[in-house]
Amino acid sequence: RYARDRAFEELTTSLLPGAQYVDALQGGALMALFTGQDPVWPPIETVLLNFVTAESSWQAEANARLDAYAMRLSLWLQGFATTETLRAPDATLQTRVVATVPAQAVREQIKVLLGEMYADPELLALLAREMTAGQAAAYLQPAMLGGLSQSLDALPLTGDLVFERFMGAQGAVLQTRLTLPMGGARGISRLTYSYDATSGGGETGLVVEYVPQNPANASGRLMTLLVYGGPAPDGQGYSFSGTLSFVPEAEPEAGGSFTVGEEPAEMPALVYDFVLAYVPQPEIPDDAAGTSQRDLAWAMTFTPRDAGAIGAQALSINIHLESRQHSQAATSVAGTVLWEDAATQARLLATVTGTTAAPWNIPEIDPTQAVRLEQMSPQELADLSAQVGAALANNAAALLFSLAVPNLNQ
């Protein structure tokens, strides 16, 4: 159970040592308990999530305020762009736009943007409305500009930022490709995003190249995600299929030796195929009763290509939402989550029920008997995080064992 009020956020579970964990609201320690990240500095992912999930009125203000920055960034990018007209194999004309930006230019432009933003008190005040005091103290202080500039200079960026786009004669986007040097952030050396328009809705790709952990290796592990599809042909929901693959980093030879200049043995890839369908039903209002209801359904199958791996897994989620016809009315939620293992015919069914609380009726969290994460030292939190990881691993192993032998006690 997860809950939050105006001062705390709380996780209560019987699966972990210590049934109740409490942290200051968006303090970062609750997330650090599971990710192992340093909780002293608020995670940027939480800040971005706040912005994405903010009220539409705030997002409209933010977009209007950021339009000028986006325009200046677009003008800057044009200085690195080249445009050419090509003739496709079917004789139609296409326009190709390529922008190649050296890593040092990326650094300098980020500094320029940060300087402009820190000199904009109205923008800082707008962003602070969707941040906690700790987040604002970490990210919205103009005095930090010098330190951030030094950090950017020290970031080991390699390679160029490359943006490439093909457009048809009528301006429709046919292909897009974006390569971003990451400089080791989150252990990533480079991200590559691609999109190819097709009659089936399009093909989207994401390639994540990680920094090698072994200095003898030229490259680290690799993750590739390919997704095909879009709106269903009948207009009922969305349908996607794709593959997810992982290539581990090459392992050192026995004894830890290696030959300089010799390519390490190629590691076998772990490849999974998946199919995902999302079918949202239209909202059904009942004006006489003053209520409305809606059904949502997700279905996914996940199949490993390696015959020696686990069998196909299927996950289906069905949710029913019902509420009063008022923008701030509470919503009741009821549904099921079903996980099935094709190899063993094992099934795990969870029934979900709940009600969202109206904004003015959020019960306060009582932290008196809880494990107070915000009061822990970094070492204490790291030790607890290790205990939590071990407990989760043991519970997951027990669950998988019970699924593998579902009829053991029958």
Side-chain angles (χ1 to χ4, degrees):
R1 175 180 177 269
Y2 174 80
R4 57 192 291 180
D5 60 14
R6 294 175 178 83
F8 299 104
E9 54 184 348
E10 171 196 60
L11 176 66
T12 304
T13 175
S14 60
L15 298 178
L16 300 176
Q20 182 188 16
Y21 300 88
V22 168
D23 184 23
L25 182 62
Q26 296 185 4
L30 193 58
M31 179 180 291
L33 195 63
F34 299 95
T35 64
Q37 296 182 11
D38 184 358
V40 176
W41 192 270
I44 188 63
E45 294 89 347
T46 304
V47 177
L48 296 177
L49 181 62
N50 290 349
F51 295 159
V52 172
T53 58
E55 293 286 345
S56 57
S57 58
W58 181 90
Q59 292 191 3
E61 287 185 66
N63 290 336
R65 193 70 194 175
L66 292 172
D67 277 346
Y69 294 91
M71 180 63 69
R72 290 196 289 273
L73 186 60
S74 177
L75 291 173
W76 168 79
L77 192 60
Q78 287 179 18
F80 300 89
T82 60
T83 303
E84 60 179 328
T85 300
L86 306 173
R87 190 170 295 278
D90 60 359
T92 60
L93 294 178
Q94 295 181 357
T95 300
R96 177 176 181 257
V97 179
V98 180
T100 303
V101 186
Q104 185 58 34
V106 174
R107 284 194 185 94
E108 295 304 321
Q109 183 58 24
I110 293 176
K111 293 179 188 178
V112 170
L113 286 175
L114 287 174
E116 293 174 348
M117 291 180 175
Y118 279 129
D120 187 345
E122 293 185 15
L123 175 62
L124 296 180
L126 180 64
L127 297 177
R129 282 163 45 188
E130 292 298 324
M131 299 169 73
T132 66
Q135 291 169 343
Y139 293 106
L140 300 183
Q141 302 304 313
M144 295 177 53
L145 181 58
L148 289 175
S149 297
Q150 293 177 7
S151 298
L152 284 169
D153 288 335
L155 194 65
L157 286 179
T158 57
D160 300 328
L161 182 155
V162 181
F163 174 80
E164 183 178 17
R165 173 168 286 176
F166 282 87
M167 293 175 289
Q170 304 302 319
V173 176
L174 305 177
Q175 291 182 336
T176 297
R177 185 179 180 89
L178 175 65
T179 301
L180 291 172
M182 296 296 293
R186 294 291 188 265
I188 300 171
S189 64
R190 183 167 55 187
L191 288 176
T192 302
Y193 164 84
S194 61
Y195 172 77
D196 292 317
T198 67
S199 59
E203 173 187 318
T204 301
L206 179 65
V207 179
V208 183
E209 301 172 58
Y210 288 87
V211 176
Q213 299 301 302
N214 185 346
N217 292 335
S219 59
R221 57 194 173 99
L222 181 72
M223 186 200 78
T224 303
L225 173 66
L226 292 176
V227 181
Y228 315 85
D234 59 2
Q236 299 296 314
Y238 302 84
S239 177
F240 302 93
S241 62
T243 60
L244 178 63
S245 65
F246 302 90
V247 179
E249 181 176 348
E251 297 180 354
E253 298 177 5
S257 62
F258 66 93
T259 302
V260 176
E262 180 178 322
E263 290 294 326
E266 184 175 342
M267 300 296 291
L270 303 175
V271 183
Y272 303 87
D273 297 310
F274 64 86
V275 177
L276 172 65
Y278 168 53
V279 183
Q281 297 297 324
E283 184 176 356
I284 303 176
D286 185 339
D287 295 331
T291 61
S292 66
Q293 55 183 313
R294 189 180 190 188
D295 292 319
L296 307 174
W298 294 264
M300 182 176 185
T301 58
F302 201 71
T303 308
R305 291 187 183 177
D306 184 358
I310 60 174
Q313 307 293 305
L315 178 69
S316 60
I317 303 174
N318 292 277
I319 299 294
H320 177 77
L321 306 175
E322 187 168 351
S323 68
R324 304 286 297 177
Q325 292 182 357
H326 188 280
S327 60
Q328 292 186 324
T331 301
S332 64
V333 181
T336 58
V337 179
L338 177 62
W339 176 25
E340 297 180 276
D341 180 85
T344 64
Q345 302 300 312
R347 306 169 81 239
L348 182 64
L349 177 66
T351 301
V352 180
T353 59
T355 303
T356 63
W360 59 86
N361 190 32
I362 299 177
E364 293 187 359
I365 293 173
D366 181 8
T368 53
Q369 302 298 321
V371 177
R372 299 293 297 274
L373 303 180
E374 84 281 14
Q375 297 177 358
M376 288 185 170
S377 68
Q379 185 57 53
E380 290 173 334
L381 189 62
D383 293 341
L384 181 59
S385 178
Q387 296 176 27
V388 166
L392 289 176
N394 290 337
N395 284 319
L399 175 60
L400 291 175
F401 180 78
S402 65
L403 289 174
V405 284
N407 299 317
L408 184 64
N409 296 318
Q410 294 184 4

